[in-house]
Amino acid sequence: MQTKSEARHEQAARTEEATARPMGMHDIDFSEILDVELLQGQCDAIAEANRNRPDVLRNDLLAILKKASVEGRRKARDLLDAQGGGLDCAHRISWLQDQIIAILYNFVTAHIFPKQKDKFAVTAVGGYGRDTLAPGSDIDLLFLFLPKPAEETHKAVEFMLYMLWDMGFKVGHATRTVEECIALSKSDMTIRTAILEMRYICGLKSLETELEARFDKEIVTGTGPEFIAAKLAERDERHRKAGDTRYLVEPNVKEGKGGLRDLHTLFWISKYYYHVRDPADLVPLGVLSKQEYRLLEKADDFLWAVRCHMHFLTGKAEERLSFDIQREIAEALGYHSRPGLSAVERFMKHYFLVAKDVGDLTRILCAALEDQQAKSIPGLTGVISRFTHRNRKIPGSVEFVEDRGRIALANPDVFKRDPVSIIRLFHVADINGLEFHPDALKRVTRSLGLVNNDLRENDEANRLFLSILTSKHDPALILRRMNEAGVLGRFIPEFGKIVAMMQFNMYHHYTVDEHLIRAIDVLSEIDKGKAEELHPLANKLMPHIEDREALYVAVLLHDIAKGRQEDHSIAGARVARKLCARFGLSQKQTEIVVWLIEEHLTMSMVAQTRDLTDRKTITDFADRVQSLDRLKMLMILTICDIRAVGPGVWNGWKGQLLRTLYYETELLLAGGFSEVSRKERAQAAAEALYAALSDWSQKDRRTYAKLHYQPYLLSVPLEDQIRHAHFIRQADKAGQALATSVRTDSFHAITEITVLSPDHPRLLAVIAGACAAAGANIVDAQIFTTSDGRALDTIHVSREFPNDEDELRRAATIGRMIEDVLSGRKRLPEVIATRAKNRKKSKAFIIPPSVTITNSLSNKFTVIEVECLDRPGLLSEMTAVLSDLSLDIQSARITTFGEKVIDTFYVTDLVGQKISGDSKRANITARMKAVMAEEQDELRERMPSGIIAPPATSAEKKAGSPA
């Protein structure tokens, strides 16, 4: 049994060990976290009191250790809230864990298996080995054994592990001899990395010392380049999985680009290659400057603060900084709102700037490694692959040389001699298709002070920049390199303001700067003719764009004024006017850029939220555009903007809407809009339908050609009219008062459901509710009434499956749901409630409900536009309210932007007139806002169980009366 003095002696040894810890740990006072001597004494007392009661002993020990751990972690959280320090928090939790493991080891080797004292060592590996531990992290342990360990040694370790598991820890562990560790390290890079980070906690110290010495001698020596190559390849693969950009708006703090794992990779490489225990030792070696080391410390501390707060807040090892928790973490870290930017947006901007710093530090370390002339690995491609110096001249350039496919500086003071060479570096790399030598980028980062007003106003620098931007090669790649090196934001200070800026919504997947660069990438793809399949019209228009330069500048600058208090389109146009002059654009080019930025949202909003079959929509839009050149450029800019928002945002339906708006407006601007009256055109359309049904009987042709009113005949294409005629006749022959038909279109990413039913004021409300219950997302609804009192509604829902067969099965299920609800076989409130119950409500976003009612957007209809937070069944509830207010819905446009929905309804009163009275409009607004805010509304309780009474009868067909 261990005496108290022996225990104190061992504790003193551990305290001495703790003083040698890295990164400022000696500054931390751990006494607030845990009274070690008191806990040790309490454990010894438990052993004394329960010598012959092993179960009671174990339970009492578990209770006291668990209490100490919980209280210590609570204290660490309190100190994090009070003082900030993310690294301090991680060190405190790591220290607390050390003490608990050491006290557990003392207990086991003193009271349970006394012969096992000094028969094994307990070491920390992984992040825990670096003396940092997040609240929800795994505890990674390596138990080192003597050769041929006794059975009892395994039992002692088992006792410790079960205690730790019972305390609620996730323990990753391995039990090995020193010889086994060395053998495994030779073949397994993960084990090699774990042992590299090994740190002694308690037990037989000589085992840890022996492993460290042998590991250094037998594994590390001479294998630096191999280890570096493996770690960087691992990092690249991790980035690929996490989304290969550090600007995703819900980043993974641990695994994402610019996150903690990237910093760990730097530590591993430094430790392995330079044999340093603390990154601070890289400064005297000349690898990092003092300023860069401070940057590293700040980045590490900030990322640890965020990670610790995430774990404490969620109560688990949550590594994704999701929208749900961003606001609370911003508050916990003390961020406040400023004009144009909320507290959460300021916090996330700081996060992305830190992630960028981590990228800079990675580049600087890689450059230093190349300077060290580390040996090359055959076949390796990546940052550290070409260590030999075989420089070639670059034609037409004296400032730069080519170093095996990468541009490098011919002389270290190239930038000092001529700051324009900072921009020229990127231009020469672009025209020669070269990657960048890490040393060149390191020198760029260290020369950013030279990117001043003189350089910004330099004609040659601006000419070079415009050439990079409008390059036929890969402008987005070069712009991204310029941005990562910090040049783009210095050269264009207005761009610098939106670097790392996120928008707190679910629609935008990237930061503003990343979005703009991705938009240029899409434009370049269209420009090279590579987008024919996805954007057939843009592909056709691009070669005829008169001014490529103006279009590229407009695409780069369209969101340059995000984050300001005023409308970013207007403010952006003002910024662009100033920059165009600087870039050397003509007055005519400047005017087109300014107009494009002012109007960059117009085409998207008109296409997605207005009825494109309404003549007034087209004439109003044409009045804003005024010329075919502008229309072409706005079309392409709109595509680039939507595509660059994020994966899955663009789809064929949006493409179809934009093409329809383009063709209709082109016709009007080219003077081809028909002057023939609506009545004559409708008559011609009815005659065309009659003629197309030539294989039908005269009676049927007359009956079905006369079924439709003007709006239908003028807006539905003839091929669809023929399809509808066959569908209605088939339903009539089968005696169906209620029928649905489905079809899908993969290019337009849309599935169409046509519903034939007795007309009813709430028909759209019930159909929308049925779609919501079936999980279908309605994007468009067209409502037509037939001359015999029936409704023919065409609903477009977003496509979910790439395969047509799967999608048609899904569509048939939605169709059946619509029929079940319309016939009363299923009750709408119940099926919607079932669907809503399974959906997690987004508490992160607040969108005040807004309602706009206007009579100027259509010649025939009042247009009601609503904007609010999306949720299941919302469209059904809103259309029910409109019906209850005696409004006839002619068409609806449903547009979703992430968590926000913008729905537009074209309505009249029951006698076909626009809504004019102020009190009526105020009532509509109030009722709609109440539903959007989820306030109780009697309407939902009075939702009809069906439109027609089941089962269908022959009498019902004649009557066609609603339930």
Side-chain angles (χ1 to χ4, degrees):
M1 188 183 289
Q2 187 185 36
T3 65
K4 287 183 182 176
S5 64
E6 284 173 332
R8 274 197 293 274
H9 178 75
E10 187 161 319
Q11 182 58 41
R14 283 206 313 278
T15 306
E16 189 180 317
E17 174 79 21
T19 59
R21 288 174 177 170
M23 297 203 66
M25 276 198 68
H26 54 274
D27 297 336
I28 304 173
D29 177 11
F30 294 111
S31 61
E32 291 182 77
I33 303 295
L34 179 70
D35 185 330
V36 181
E37 281 200 25
L38 177 65
L39 183 60
Q40 181 75 63
Q42 288 170 332
C43 291
D44 289 339
I46 286 169
E48 289 288 333
N50 300 289
R51 281 188 180 188
N52 302 314
R53 296 187 297 170
D55 288 349
V56 177
L57 178 144
R58 193 184 181 286
N59 289 341
D60 287 358
L61 179 66
L62 177 63
I64 200 159
L65 290 178
K66 197 168 184 177
K67 183 175 178 238
S69 173
V70 169
E71 287 179 357
R73 282 165 180 256
R74 189 168 59 236
K75 188 64 189 169
R77 184 178 188 174
D78 292 344
L79 289 165
L80 174 66
D81 290 339
Q83 298 171 7
L87 268 172
D88 284 358
C89 181
H91 289 321
R92 284 186 182 107
I93 296 172
S94 172
W95 178 86
L96 173 66
Q97 198 66 44
D98 283 3
Q99 309 317 307
I100 285 167
I101 289 169
I103 286 169
L104 184 55
Y105 170 86
N106 289 345
F107 190 92
V108 171
T109 56
H111 306 296
I112 313 291
F113 300 104
K115 290 180 184 173
Q116 294 311 306
K117 180 164 170 57
D118 290 338
K119 291 292 190 289
F120 65 96
V122 187
T123 66
V125 290
Y128 183 29
R130 283 189 304 278
D131 237 322
T132 51
L133 206 53
S137 288
D138 294 4
I139 314 296
D140 292 327
L141 298 174
L142 170 62
F143 293 89
L144 287 175
F145 288 175
L146 291 162
K148 297 181 184 173
E151 183 63 28
E152 210 175 60
T153 310
H154 286 282
K155 285 184 177 175
V157 168
E158 209 172 90
F159 185 94
M160 289 182 70
L161 285 171
Y162 275 106
M163 285 296 289
L164 291 168
W165 283 326
D166 288 347
M167 287 172 72
F169 296 123
K170 286 173 284 182
V171 183
H173 70 284
T175 52
R176 298 192 183 108
T177 64
V178 171
E179 192 59 50
E180 285 169 340
C181 289
I182 295 297
L184 287 165
S185 294
K186 286 176 180 169
S187 58
D188 191 318
M189 204 55 81
T190 307
I191 292 173
R192 195 185 296 190
T193 309
I195 293 172
L196 176 71
E197 297 197 287
M198 178 186 64
R199 178 177 58 79
Y200 173 76
I201 298 175
C202 55
L204 185 57
K205 180 82 167 81
S206 59
L207 284 174
E208 187 264 350
T209 310
E210 182 193 347
L211 177 55
E212 200 168 306
R214 283 190 62 186
F215 182 77
D216 203 42
K217 186 180 173 186
E218 297 174 38
I219 304 295
V220 174
T221 305
T223 60
E226 176 195 335
F227 180 79
I228 291 162
K231 284 293 128 190
L232 291 174
E234 209 176 89
R235 181 199 65 175
D236 293 343
E237 176 59 18
R238 193 178 68 249
H239 288 172
R240 191 187 62 73
K241 282 182 182 169
D244 195 10
T245 171
R246 60 179 63 93
Y247 303 121
L248 280 167
V249 292
E250 291 188 297
N252 187 310
V253 176
K254 184 182 175 187
E255 303 288 350
K257 199 169 187 177
L260 275 166
R261 185 68 83 208
D262 279 6
L263 276 182
H264 299 162
T265 304
L266 289 186
F267 296 157
W268 293 330
I269 291 172
S270 307
K271 200 169 180 182
Y272 202 99
Y273 194 80
Y274 293 105
H275 303 280
V276 298
R277 270 204 75 85
D278 186 344
D281 299 332
L282 295 173
V283 177
L285 290 173
V287 177
L288 297 177
S289 68
K290 280 183 183 174
Q291 187 184 355
E292 285 155 357
Y293 173 67
R294 277 198 297 275
L295 202 62
L296 183 145
E297 268 196 314
K298 277 184 180 174
D300 201 23
D301 191 57
F302 175 79
L303 291 171
W304 269 108
V306 172
R307 190 176 181 214
C308 288
H309 275 299
M310 282 165 67
H311 285 203
F312 279 133
L313 193 64
T314 59
K316 60 181 180 180
E318 179 59 71
E319 308 298 357
R320 185 164 154 266
L321 188 46
S322 64
F323 289 126
D324 292 349
I325 56 177
Q326 284 176 10
R327 202 186 291 276
E328 288 175 80
I329 288 174
E331 194 180 319
L333 291 170
Y335 287 86
H336 299 289
S337 295
R338 293 277 184 276
L341 276 188
S342 66
V344 66
E345 287 168 340
R346 290 186 66 233
F347 157 56
M348 290 306 295
K349 179 167 185 174
H350 187 185
Y351 178 89
F352 293 119
L353 288 172
V354 165
K356 184 178 170 300
D357 289 341
V358 173
D360 291 344
L361 292 163
T362 306
R363 258 199 316 278
I364 287 161
L365 181 69
C366 290
L369 287 164
E370 292 221 15
D371 287 344
Q372 294 284 323
Q373 295 277 304
K375 291 192 180 82
S376 176
I377 304 300
L380 174 74
T381 57
V383 196
I384 319 253
S385 56
R386 315 163 187 89
F387 290 109
T388 51
H389 287 279
R390 273 187 253 157
N391 295 343
R392 289 193 311 114
K393 285 186 176 178
I394 298 173
S397 171
V398 291
E399 302 95 338
F400 310 112
V401 289
E402 184 192 329
D403 175 1
R404 297 182 70 179
R406 299 167 306 167
I407 191 167
L409 307 190
N411 191 296
D413 55 0
V414 161
F415 298 147
K416 214 173 280 181
R417 287 180 193 167
D418 180 11
V420 174
S421 290
I422 294 174
I423 310 297
R424 194 174 288 118
L425 170 81
F426 294 96
H427 180 253
V428 173
D430 173 53
I431 57 177
N432 291 283
L434 298 171
E435 255 298 345
F436 293 86
H437 193 293
D439 184 62
L441 289 176
K442 178 180 86 172
R443 291 189 184 278
V444 167
T445 304
R446 289 179 175 180
S447 306
L448 288 176
L450 298 172
V451 185
N452 55 21
N453 228 30
D454 291 344
L455 183 63
R456 289 179 205 118
E457 297 300 330
N458 183 288
D459 290 346
E460 174 67 359
N462 283 293
R463 185 191 67 76
L464 291 169
F465 176 73
L466 202 56
S467 174
I468 291 166
L469 174 61
T470 58
S471 166
K472 286 279 191 181
H473 300 111
D474 193 347
L477 175 75
I478 302 295
L479 289 171
R480 189 169 281 113
R481 294 284 180 271
M482 289 180 81
N483 193 34
E484 285 174 347
V487 174
L488 199 51
R490 298 275 302 200
F491 189 64
I492 308 172
E494 294 83 358
F495 191 92
K497 288 176 184 171
I498 52 98
V499 166
M501 181 188 287
M502 67 89 80
Q503 297 158 82
F504 190 64
N505 59 51
M506 282 165 66
Y507 181 61
H508 293 91
H509 294 231
Y510 306 111
T511 55
V512 182
D513 54 330
E514 179 70 7
H515 165 71
L516 292 176
I517 292 169
R518 282 175 183 253
I520 289 291
D521 203 18
V522 178
L523 177 56
S524 175
E525 184 190 316
I526 295 168
D527 198 9
K528 290 175 194 167
K530 290 182 179 177
E532 185 175 6
E533 205 174 301
L534 202 53
H535 308 297
L537 177 57
N539 194 65
K540 213 187 301 177
L541 297 177
M542 190 69 203
H544 305 291
I545 294 292
E546 281 187 18
D547 206 321
R548 276 181 76 251
E549 276 189 351
L551 182 54
Y552 271 89
V553 171
V555 170
L556 179 70
L557 303 182
H558 73 267
D559 278 346
I560 194 92
K562 276 275 171 90
R564 305 188 186 201
Q565 283 177 287
E566 61 183 311
D567 183 320
H568 78 278
S569 303
I570 294 162
R574 203 167 52 242
V575 169
R577 190 177 290 283
K578 194 174 69 176
L579 285 172
C580 287
R582 206 190 98 184
F583 294 156
L585 266 59
S586 69
Q587 187 61 37
K588 185 186 173 191
Q589 287 177 309
T590 300
E591 291 309 324
I592 187 70
V593 170
V594 166
W595 182 84
L596 283 168
I597 291 173
E598 259 181 15
E599 301 290 343
H600 78 268
L601 295 174
T602 304
M603 193 168 192
S604 168
M605 292 308 288
V606 170
Q608 292 183 75
T609 68
R610 298 284 174 261
D611 187 345
L612 302 182
T613 63
D614 191 309
R615 170 90 183 249
K616 186 84 163 50
T617 299
I618 308 302
T619 53
D620 286 355
F621 180 66
D623 285 346
R624 288 183 84 158
V625 177
Q626 293 184 345
S627 81
L628 280 171
D629 272 346
R630 279 179 170 188
L631 178 65
K632 288 173 191 170
M633 291 169 90
L634 186 57
M635 173 78 179
I636 294 169
L637 168 56
T638 304
I639 289 169
C640 296
D641 191 13
I642 298 172
R643 276 272 310 277
V645 164
V649 173
W650 173 269
N651 58 36
W653 173 244
K654 287 175 185 169
Q656 180 57 27
L657 291 174
L658 288 169
R659 282 191 293 278
T660 301
L661 178 56
Y662 177 88
Y663 286 130
E664 293 286 333
T665 311
E666 180 188 46
L667 197 63
L668 184 57
L669 291 171
F673 226 65
S674 175
E675 292 304 315
V676 182
S677 74
R678 281 177 67 89
K679 190 176 178 183
E680 289 171 292
R681 282 189 289 135
Q683 181 63 37
E687 287 166 11
L689 175 59
Y690 180 83
L693 303 174
S694 55
D695 55 341
W696 288 17
S697 68
Q698 287 293 325
K699 184 186 173 192
D700 278 2
R701 285 172 78 184
R702 273 198 304 275
T703 303
Y704 289 96
K706 282 183 178 175
L707 265 183
H708 305 291
Y709 293 118
Q710 265 190 22
Y712 177 90
L713 293 165
L714 291 175
S715 62
V716 178
L718 179 61
E719 61 187 277
D720 288 345
Q721 291 186 30
I722 296 165
R723 204 165 38 79
H724 290 159
H726 282 279
F727 166 57
I728 298 168
R729 187 170 76 151
Q730 192 182 336
D732 287 349
K733 280 184 176 173
Q736 293 174 295
L738 178 63
T740 58
S741 102
V742 298
R743 66 172 186 152
T744 190
D745 185 325
S746 58
F747 178 69
H748 296 145
I750 212 72
T751 292
E752 183 183 283
I753 301 170
T754 307
V755 182
L756 177 70
S757 148
D759 199 10
H760 187 285
R762 292 206 182 188
L763 183 60
L764 181 59
V766 178
I767 291 173
C771 286
N777 178 35
I778 297 180
V779 293
D780 188 57
Q782 206 71 42
I783 297 102
F784 297 108
T785 308
T786 58
S787 56
D788 60 358
R790 289 185 285 178
L792 182 69
D793 289 5
T794 303
I795 308 296
H796 288 131
V797 299
S798 297
R799 195 178 154 107
E800 243 179 46
F801 295 104
N803 180 296
D804 277 3
E805 283 179 29
D806 293 340
E807 182 61 22
L808 284 170
R809 269 196 295 274
R810 169 182 172 258
T813 305
I814 299 166
R816 279 195 300 277
M817 175 67 89
I818 292 171
E819 288 185 32
D820 285 349
V821 170
L822 288 177
S823 64
R825 284 192 292 271
K826 286 186 177 171
R827 287 201 71 251
L828 194 55
E830 287 160 18
V831 286
I832 290 182
T834 308
R835 184 86 197 169
K837 192 169 63 184
N838 299 328
R839 176 163 159 165
K840 190 178 149 199
K841 193 181 173 206
S842 175
K843 296 175 188 165
F845 303 102
I846 298 158
I847 298 171
S850 81
V851 180
T852 310
I853 302 173
T854 174
N855 283 325
S856 60
L857 292 173
S858 170
N859 291 329
K860 287 190 68 183
F861 304 103
T862 293
V863 178
I864 301 174
E865 186 175 277
V866 300
E867 187 177 319
C868 64
L869 196 63
D870 198 12
R871 69 168 190 274
L874 174 66
L875 179 63
S876 173
E877 291 172 27
M878 290 197 293
T879 47
V881 167
L882 293 175
S883 302
D884 193 61
L885 291 164
S886 303
L887 297 176
D888 193 5
I889 304 170
Q890 181 62 38
S891 67
R893 289 288 175 280
I894 293 86
T895 315
T896 309
F897 297 95
E899 76 287 353
K900 179 171 77 173
V901 68
I902 298 179
D903 290 353
T904 314
F905 303 98
Y906 282 69
V907 304
T908 61
D909 60 20
L910 293 182
V911 291
Q913 299 300 307
K914 288 185 179 184
I915 315 305
S916 51
D918 287 347
S919 61
K920 176 96 175 170
R921 287 156 71 120
N923 190 28
I924 294 170
T925 302
R927 289 293 295 277
M928 291 295 273
K929 281 190 174 178
V931 166
M932 290 189 279
E934 292 192 83
E935 291 172 14
Q936 205 57 37
D937 193 306
E938 285 177 30
L939 275 183
R940 258 171 287 170
E941 276 65 58
R942 290 193 277 129
M943 184 73 82
S945 55
I947 297 300
I948 60 174
T953 63
S954 55
E956 179 192 12
K957 183 192 163 192
K958 288 176 194 166
S961 58

